[in-house]
Amino acid sequence: MSGWLSLFGGRKDTRESARDAIVGLRQQLLLLEKKEDYLQKKIEDETAKARANVATNKRAATNALRQKKAYENELDKIAGTRLTLETQVNAIESANLNAETMLAMKKGAEALQGIHKNLQVDKVDQTMDKIREQMDLTNEISDAISNPVGMGAMVDEDDLAAELDALEQEELDTRLKGADHVPLHTPASPVGRTTGERVRAIQEEDDEEAQLRQLQAELAM
């Protein structure tokens, strides 16, 4: 517990001692691995010696097996020691990681506390209200700018309808007046005649009518 408190207090000696302890434990593990390799080789040698003397020299074979058994017992002890050291290394690393994590979390909490120190809920609400007011004002200004001058006046639909009716009546009267001046002798244009054919037909009829009037004048004399 005191180690964790010292970490929170900012002392570096605890972290350094943890690192030194891990380094020392791993070095000891390397030595034990070398010792295991040596004992394993001795066990193999004693096994080979026992096999070589089992038929010719049982005493030598028995001594070899006895020595092999001693090496195996020592090897088992080293395996147990290695397991203890590895467990201790893992525990130190895990505790050190937890301590570093708690230290980081403590610093994070202090940072948040410092940030929120000048932030109050009422002030935040006031600021957000001001932002919303300014956004509404911005939208109103944008709408006013985007609306062309003079286009925002209301138009009476009844007035528009009355004006449209007057224009239609005026156009109808103009057409009727034009119909009063159409010559009586002008025949209806046959369906399918082109404009040029209709013009030529009208001219020919006018010439015939002029000749008829001239003949009537001569007879009257």
Side-chain angles (χ1 to χ4, degrees):
M1 187 68 176
S2 61
W4 283 35
L5 293 176
S6 63
L7 282 175
F8 292 160
R11 293 176 56 185
K12 297 182 179 180
D13 56 346
T14 304
R15 282 176 286 181
E16 292 178 356
S17 62
R19 184 176 60 251
D20 294 340
I22 292 173
V23 171
L25 290 171
R26 293 196 179 279
Q27 289 177 348
Q28 188 63 28
L29 285 171
L30 290 175
L31 293 176
L32 292 176
E33 288 177 1
K34 293 180 180 180
K35 182 66 173 179
E36 283 179 333
D37 293 338
Y38 171 78
L39 292 175
Q40 188 63 42
K41 187 176 182 304
K42 297 298 291 183
I43 291 172
E44 293 174 357
D45 292 342
E46 295 298 329
T47 301
K49 186 185 297 184
R51 288 177 179 175
N53 295 295
V54 67
T56 59
N57 191 347
K58 290 186 178 182
R59 182 184 293 273
T62 302
N63 290 334
L65 291 176
R66 187 178 291 111
Q67 188 64 42
K68 170 179 170 291
K69 188 64 176 178
Y71 290 146
E72 288 177 345
N73 291 334
E74 189 175 357
L75 187 62
D76 291 338
K77 292 179 181 179
I78 291 177
T81 303
R82 284 185 69 254
L83 180 60
T84 301
L85 293 179
E86 289 173 352
T87 302
Q88 192 173 10
V89 169
N90 292 333
I92 294 174
E93 289 177 344
S94 178
N96 193 46
L97 178 61
N98 291 335
E100 294 292 339
T101 301
M102 291 300 297
L103 178 61
M105 293 174 65
K106 180 176 181 294
K107 291 181 178 179
E110 292 174 352
L112 287 174
Q113 185 178 3
I115 294 172
H116 292 157
K117 184 176 182 180
N118 297 323
L119 291 178
Q120 298 179 2
V121 177
D122 294 339
K123 292 183 178 180
V124 173
D125 291 338
Q126 293 175 1
T127 301
M128 294 305 299
D129 291 339
K130 291 180 180 179
I131 292 175
R132 281 188 286 269
E133 291 176 359
Q134 293 304 315
M135 292 299 296
D136 292 339
L137 179 60
T138 300
N139 293 332
E140 292 177 1
I141 294 174
S142 298
D143 293 340
I145 293 174
S146 62
N147 188 15
V149 177
M151 294 299 293
M154 297 299 293
V155 178
D156 192 343
E157 296 294 333
D158 294 337
D159 292 342
L160 290 179
E163 187 175 353
L164 180 61
D165 291 340
L167 290 175
E168 290 178 348
Q169 185 62 42
E170 183 179 347
E171 179 66 19
L172 180 60
D173 294 341
T174 301
R175 291 183 180 181
L176 291 175
K177 289 179 181 179
D180 293 340
H181 296 85
V182 176
L184 296 176
H185 62 272
T186 303
S189 299
V191 178
R193 284 189 176 184
T194 63
T195 303
E197 291 175 347
R198 290 196 297 270
V199 172
R200 285 193 297 272
I202 293 172
Q203 291 177 350
E204 290 175 357
E205 293 176 358
D206 290 341
D207 292 341
E208 292 176 355
E209 197 171 288
Q211 293 176 3
L212 179 60
R213 285 196 298 268
Q214 184 178 357
L215 181 58
Q216 291 176 348
E218 292 176 354
L219 293 175
M221 293 175 63

